[in-house]
Amino acid sequence: MMGCVFCRIVAKETPAYIVYEDDKTLGFLDHLPIHRGHTLVILKDHYESLLDIPAEGLKDLILTTQKVGAGVIKAMGAEGFNLVMNNGRSAGQEVPHAHFHILPRFRGDGLRIGFPRNRYPEEEMRKIQEAIKKGLS
Amino acid sequence: MMGCVFCRIVAKETPAYIVYEDDKTLGFLDHLPIHRGHTLVILKDHYESLLDIPAEGLKDLILTTQKVGAGVIKAMGAEGFNLVMNNGRSAGQEVPHAHFHILPRFRGDGLRIGFPRNRYPEEEMRKIQEAIKKGLS
């Protein structure tokens, strides 16, 4: 997938600040970070969304994400981190190669996930519960 | 951990709109959702952060998250979804039992992750890269 910027990073055709690499996965600094230490973790194989990744790949991806997350926390002296994967254009996914964002967080860093929370009626929650259960089977 | 609301949901002592359950994991609707279909996925065992979860648990969690994510997308007719885990109070974690948020997304739903993006100097990126690599070893 040489049209994919992350595949080109994997192939070392596009430079990146790589922080972790093994046979299956890669961690590197986001080139347009939210703030210092913002890191991405990907599978070297190209899958567009979380939903496309086979079970073995999911396992590799989450294990590396945990490892890199711990490293980022330690390196940045962070107190916590957000782990985010945007799947699909409508979710804000910019590069169509599934990637976890690791965003180190600090007390009073002023960042806020800008999503308001809105309850919806109990009756609708029941209907949606049933629809998801059905969607799962 | 009966002081933990998610452990009480696991124990069926607190009601929730459960959409998926197996031996290790549970999926249920967020009681204070960002919008319709906002779903949480947890391990039944209590771990506070991603960093605390053993390898086997990580695998169970991500596999269920993928499964429930696909169900949510299908049920809601969504075009994509955000997958988010907030780790630590400074990252906005409200319940200290590690959980993935699945947020179905639709074109023009008006939601925006409200994080500005800010480049930092190349020299600092190199230093941070080295610090994370060191943090990983």
Side-chain angles (χ1 to χ4, degrees):
Chain A
M1 287 288 295
M2 286 303 115
C4 169
V5 62
F6 289 173
C7 287
R8 287 199 307 271
I9 288 173
V10 169
K12 309 287 162 69
E13 289 176 7
T14 292
Y17 294 100
I18 292 173
V19 299
Y20 178 81
E21 179 164 17
D22 63 24
D23 281 1
K24 305 287 188 184
T25 62
L26 194 70
F28 53 94
L29 300 184
D30 194 311
H31 86 295
L32 190 53
I34 287 165
H35 63 191
R36 283 158 178 76
H38 179 178
T39 302
L40 305 181
V41 177
I42 64 170
L43 287 173
K44 289 183 168 181
D45 287 343
H46 183 93
Y47 300 102
E48 190 163 330
S49 150
L50 183 84
L51 303 188
D52 303 321
I53 302 174
E56 200 53 38
L58 283 177
K59 187 182 158 190
D60 295 333
L61 182 63
I62 197 73
L63 286 170
T64 292
T65 299
Q66 184 189 56
K67 193 178 299 183
V68 174
V72 169
I73 287 279
K74 196 167 156 191
M76 305 307 295
E79 291 160 336
F81 65 104
N82 301 110
L83 181 63
V84 177
M85 185 188 284
N86 301 326
N87 294 281
R89 222 170 229 282
S90 63
Q93 184 176 11
E94 286 166 16
V95 176
H97 181 136
H99 52 287
F100 268 123
H101 296 264
I102 295 171
L103 182 64
R105 297 295 301 275
F106 307 88
R107 201 166 326 171
D109 62 22
L111 295 181
R112 292 187 62 80
I113 292 195
F115 289 151
R117 308 196 111 189
N118 296 296
R119 285 183 202 253
Y120 51 100
E122 295 282 308
E123 181 52 28
E124 202 176 344
M125 289 190 88
R126 270 191 293 277
K127 280 185 191 157
I128 286 175
Q129 175 191 28
E130 290 312 314
I132 295 175
K133 286 165 77 174
K134 211 172 142 194
L136 275 165
S137 61
Chain B
M1 287 287 297
M2 286 304 117
C4 168
V5 61
F6 289 172
C7 287
R8 288 200 307 271
I9 289 173
V10 169
K12 309 285 161 73
E13 290 176 5
T14 292
Y17 294 100
I18 292 173
V19 298
Y20 179 81
E21 180 165 17
D22 63 24
D23 282 0
K24 306 287 187 183
T25 62
L26 194 69
F28 53 93
L29 300 184
D30 194 310
H31 86 297
L32 191 53
I34 287 165
H35 62 192
R36 284 160 176 74
H38 179 178
T39 302
L40 305 181
V41 176
I42 64 170
L43 286 173
K44 288 183 170 183
D45 287 344
H46 183 93
Y47 301 102
E48 191 164 328
S49 150
L50 183 84
L51 302 188
D52 303 322
I53 302 173
E56 200 54 38
L58 283 179
K59 187 182 160 189
D60 294 334
L61 182 63
I62 197 73
L63 285 171
T64 292
T65 299
Q66 184 190 55
K67 194 179 298 184
V68 174
V72 169
I73 288 278
K74 196 167 155 189
M76 305 306 295
E79 290 160 337
F81 64 104
N82 301 109
L83 181 63
V84 178
M85 185 188 283
N86 301 326
N87 295 281
R89 221 170 231 280
S90 62
Q93 184 176 10
E94 287 167 15
V95 176
H97 181 135
H99 52 288
F100 268 123
H101 295 264
I102 294 170
L103 182 64
R105 297 294 301 275
F106 307 88
R107 201 167 326 172
D109 61 22
L111 296 180
R112 291 186 62 80
I113 293 194
F115 289 151
R117 309 196 109 189
N118 296 297
R119 285 183 201 250
Y120 50 101
E122 295 282 308
E123 181 51 31
E124 203 176 343
M125 289 189 87
R126 270 190 294 275
K127 281 185 189 154
I128 286 174
Q129 175 191 29
E130 288 313 314
I132 294 174
K133 285 166 77 174
K134 211 172 141 193
L136 275 165
S137 62

